[in-house]
Amino acid sequence: MSFGQGGPSWGPGDNGTPDWAALAEQSAARARRKRWLMIGGGAVATAAVAAIVATAVISTNKDDSAASGGKNASQLPSATDLPSEAAQPEPSFSSVQPPPPPDPKDYISDVKKDRAPVSADAFFPGKQLKMGDRVYAKGATNRTTNCAATTQGALGSILAGNGCDQVIRATYSRDGVAVTIGLAVFGTEAQAKKAAEQASGGIASLSGSGVPTFCRGGTVCRRTANSYGRYAYFTVGGFTSGKSVTKADKNVFAVGDDLTNFTFRQIRHRGEVQASAAATAPTT
């Protein structure tokens, strides 16, 4: 006996009794197929849901971007949204050049500008002179408008011929050596320079205040002549014992050079002080 496909089946020789084992196996197979179909369908459904969610997220982002004008997540403003910098004033420069600082030499080169006091103490202050580790005792000083009276030989006429106004002398000594410096004052730099260049004879030594007479009576002594600004300065140096000076007597040369350098610095400082005062003076 046989029914249509999928119905119960009885095998031959069963005397019409159903084959229960076969029926049970067929039922189990149908249950397994149904279970696999359900699992497969669930996986497909899960994948579909995930795709839908992803699509929704993308769509939402697109919508948000469109709603916000296309700005990205950092919300950076566009160039047109940035505030412009406040206008800063441009630096301005005067087209007028400031005057150059006064030249100190101008103030010791012409009597019209050189208005500081002229005296022995102004140029040779104190009771001694220090140059490095060397100390010189200050002797007598002298100031006179009779320029020729302070000289020996032809220097007197040279000073007078170039318009000498006055001469200041000062003597310094150390270890048996004495040097007198004579500072001749003129009206202009040109006069002082010419007097120094024409120098012949020399300044007369100045004794006193503990310094005996030196460089007189034909004793050979060292003489120098220099100028700076409207000042010419001359030295005469030698031994207080009356001994003549030779080129080997370096100590005499050293004292004379120190005194010459000091005098130059004093003249230059005089110009610096007056130039500084002129630079800081109020304008009218």
Side-chain angles (χ1 to χ4, degrees):
M1 179 175 178
S2 174
F3 293 93
Q5 183 178 358
S9 174
W10 292 269
D14 290 337
N15 299 319
T17 302
D19 189 348
W20 299 110
L23 291 174
E25 183 178 352
Q26 291 176 2
S27 178
R30 286 195 299 270
R32 285 195 299 272
R33 286 196 299 270
K34 184 177 181 179
R35 185 165 58 250
W36 282 113
L37 288 173
M38 291 180 66
I39 293 173
V44 171
T46 301
V49 171
I52 292 171
V53 172
T55 303
V57 171
I58 293 174
S59 299
T60 301
N61 287 340
K62 289 184 178 179
D63 292 342
D64 290 344
S65 176
S68 61
K71 296 179 182 177
N72 57 25
S74 62
Q75 297 296 311
L76 292 176
S78 65
T80 57
D81 294 334
L82 293 174
S84 60
E85 294 184 1
Q88 297 294 329
E90 294 292 333
S92 59
F93 301 94
S94 174
S95 59
V96 179
Q97 294 293 330
D103 184 355
K105 192 177 180 182
D106 289 344
Y107 289 85
I108 44 91
S109 296
D110 194 306
V111 68
K112 295 178 181 179
K113 286 188 175 182
D114 188 10
R115 310 305 297 173
V118 177
S119 66
D121 287 337
F123 287 95
F124 309 107
K127 296 182 178 180
Q128 61 183 17
L129 171 63
K130 291 183 178 180
M131 296 292 286
D133 58 351
R134 301 173 298 282
V135 180
Y136 303 101
K138 181 180 175 181
T141 61
N142 173 265
R143 176 174 176 263
T144 180
T145 57
N146 185 358
C147 298
T150 65
T151 67
Q152 290 180 322
L155 185 60
S157 61
I158 293 172
L159 296 182
N162 286 288
C164 177
D165 293 329
Q166 57 183 300
V167 173
I168 299 171
R169 288 184 295 169
T171 297
Y172 291 86
S173 63
R174 179 174 184 261
D175 297 336
V177 174
V179 175
T180 295
I181 186 160
L183 183 67
V185 185
F186 297 85
T188 66
E189 179 182 16
Q191 291 173 316
K193 184 177 182 180
K194 188 175 181 180
E197 290 174 346
Q198 295 176 343
S200 178
I203 200 77
S205 62
L206 179 65
S207 59
S209 300
V211 179
T213 300
F214 65 101
C215 293
R216 296 292 182 96
T219 304
V220 177
C221 291
R222 186 199 183 208
R223 301 180 186 275
T224 66
N226 296 277
S227 70
Y228 187 69
R230 70 187 189 104
Y231 301 92
Y233 46 103
F234 311 88
T235 66
V236 56
F239 295 103
T240 55
S241 64
K243 173 187 173 183
S244 292
V245 177
T246 68
K247 291 183 179 180
D249 296 317
K250 302 301 182 182
N251 52 343
V252 176
F253 284 74
V255 177
D257 290 346
D258 278 347
L259 191 50
T260 296
N261 292 336
F262 173 75
T263 302
F264 167 77
R265 294 177 187 178
Q266 288 293 91
I267 299 171
R268 184 179 62 183
H269 179 67
R270 179 184 179 89
E272 292 171 345
V273 171
Q274 294 182 92
S276 177
T280 58
T283 57
T284 56

